[in-house]
Amino acid sequence: MGSSSVWTPGVLPSWKTTIFFFNVISAVVARRHAVYWNSTNARLTEGDLSIQMDLNDYLDIYCPYYPSKGSQGSGQSEMLALYLIGEESFQGCVETRGAIKRWECNTPHAPFGPIRFSEKIQRFTPFSLGFEFLPGRHYYYSSLPIDEGPPLPCMKLRVTVCCESKSEGSKQLQVTKARSGAASPSTASFPIVLVLLTLTT
């Protein structure tokens, strides 16, 4: 008779443990950066909002939202499209050749809350609609009102992906100091490693 493998309760197969391990570590290391994209966000309308992100971080864009149809006051509900644009187009909010339309905020009265779009900052993406980011580069977002919406001020965001190269030790040091109040990935993941070792023994 051939040998049969018997699953023991409480013991995870090694491949499942590996997948679980990498998923947990990714969740611990990655950060989420929220931006509420509407005309009341003064930093967006003034064009001085800049975010520094690491690879595998997430950019969360929240669309304009109104809980009820009368909550926006006397004006119309804001509806817009967001674009990824080149640096030369960052000075003004005009539709330019080469701009990549990322999302459209056209449901300002969504019953379940504000619509959120998430951009994962990664070098490679398996999705056709995904975008690939390179370390040390700047990326620029802007918005334009869609046909159904009212005129809107120019709103802009710059995203900087850290870091250009490991040889830039001074820049790495500055980033480390700025995050001194947060747990480091190695420190945060150490208890998780102990849990996984317990499950596999």
Side-chain angles (χ1 to χ4, degrees):
M1 294 179 62
S3 61
S4 60
S5 59
V6 178
W7 175 74
T8 304
V11 178
L12 294 175
S14 59
W15 65 272
K16 287 186 177 181
T17 303
T18 303
I19 293 174
F20 175 74
F21 174 79
F22 282 112
N23 286 339
V24 172
I25 293 301
S26 297
V28 170
V29 174
R31 296 178 302 162
R32 306 195 78 100
H33 305 261
V35 176
Y36 291 85
W37 201 286
N38 59 71
S39 62
T40 65
N41 189 335
R43 295 196 64 189
L44 277 177
T45 56
E46 293 170 3
D48 66 347
L49 182 55
S50 180
I51 300 176
Q52 179 164 304
M53 305 180 68
D54 294 317
L55 289 174
N56 298 318
D57 284 358
Y58 288 87
L59 175 65
D60 293 329
I61 301 290
Y62 289 87
C63 291
Y65 172 68
Y66 309 90
S68 62
K69 291 192 176 181
S71 60
Q72 73 268 27
S74 58
Q76 291 179 268
S77 302
E78 296 181 9
M79 291 187 285
L80 50 89
L82 284 102
Y83 294 85
L84 193 59
I85 60 174
E87 183 176 7
E88 66 280 359
S89 306
F90 190 60
Q91 300 305 317
C93 291
V94 293
E95 192 164 359
T96 58
R97 177 180 293 181
I100 302 172
K101 188 176 183 179
R102 301 302 291 141
W103 311 289
E104 193 167 287
C105 295
N106 57 8
T107 315
H109 304 290
F112 43 81
I115 301 295
R116 184 188 75 181
F117 295 106
S118 294
E119 185 101 85
K120 185 176 182 180
I121 308 301
Q122 56 187 349
R123 294 197 65 165
F124 306 101
T125 175
F127 305 107
S128 60
L129 296 179
F131 190 81
E132 298 177 349
F133 296 83
L134 297 176
R137 301 284 184 86
H138 302 295
Y139 297 89
Y140 304 89
Y141 294 83
S142 70
S143 63
L144 290 171
I146 60 178
D147 293 339
E148 298 83 359
L152 295 173
C154 183
M155 291 179 273
K156 301 182 293 184
L157 166 69
R158 183 177 78 167
V159 170
T160 301
V161 181
C162 182
C163 292
E164 186 170 2
S165 69
K166 292 186 177 181
S167 61
E168 296 187 8
S170 59
K171 286 187 178 180
Q172 293 277 16
L173 183 60
Q174 290 174 5
V175 173
T176 303
K177 287 183 178 179
R179 298 178 186 166
S180 59
S184 67
S186 59
T187 302
S189 59
F190 182 69
I192 298 170
V193 175
L194 291 179
V195 172
L196 292 174
L197 289 175
T198 304
L199 290 174
T200 56
T201 55

